[in-house]
Amino acid sequence: MAGPTRSGKTTFIKQDLIEELKRRQALVIYADLGKRKGNITPAQTVLTAVCSSLTSLASEIGLKRTSFTFDVERIGTDSGVSLADALLELISKIDLIQPAHAPIRVGLVGFSQH
C-alpha cells in the first residue's frame, strides 16, 4: 500500500484490514517496514515478524518448536529453509491438528512508508 504521509494507511491496515482478517480466522503477520532501524533490511524485518508469529502460533496450538523440521530462527537464511517452505510446513501441521470446520488461514501484511 502506498500513499502520502498521514493519509490513514496504517490506521486502515491495523484497525480495519487486520481486524477483518482475524475475524475470518486468518493468522496475520504484520511487519511495519517504515519503522526499521539501522541496517536492517525489509526482508529481515519481515522474517523477524514471521519467526515471532510462528513461535507464538506453534505454542498456541500445542506445537513445540522441535515439531518443525527447521530452526525457526534460521528461516530465510543460507543455513535455513525458505519462508515459503516454512509456511507450507506450518500449514500442513495446522491441517493435522485443526478441525476441518475451523481452518486457520495464513496471510502476510507488509507496510512501507516513503
Side-chain angles (χ1 to χ4, degrees):
M1 174 178 290
T5 302
R6 310 222 29 93
S7 62
K9 300 178 299 293
T10 301
T11 300
F12 167 71
I13 289 172
K14 287 184 172 180
Q15 294 180 4
D16 297 320
L17 181 60
I18 289 175
E19 292 307 313
E20 178 61 19
L21 291 171
K22 286 180 178 178
R23 189 185 69 72
R24 295 180 184 208
Q25 298 178 319
L27 165 65
V28 178
I29 301 170
Y30 178 77
D32 189 340
L33 304 180
K35 294 193 176 181
R36 294 179 293 122
K37 293 183 170 59
N39 293 332
I40 296 175
T41 66
Q44 289 168 316
T45 302
V46 170
L47 287 171
T48 298
V50 168
C51 290
S52 175
S53 293
L54 282 177
T55 301
S56 294
L57 178 64
S59 68
E60 284 176 31
I61 62 175
L63 288 175
K64 296 182 174 143
R65 288 175 65 135
T66 55
S67 299
F68 296 111
T69 61
F70 56 86
D71 180 349
V72 173
E73 300 299 323
R74 292 186 176 180
I75 296 171
T77 66
D78 290 340
S79 61
V81 300
S82 71
L83 175 57
D85 287 340
L87 291 174
L88 286 172
E89 183 171 330
L90 173 65
I91 291 166
S92 71
K93 290 190 181 300
I94 289 171
D95 286 345
L96 291 174
I97 60 175
Q98 279 292 110
H101 65 278
I104 294 177
R105 295 166 184 86
V106 179
L108 180 66
V109 176
F111 176 64
S112 180
Q113 211 168 19
H114 295 285

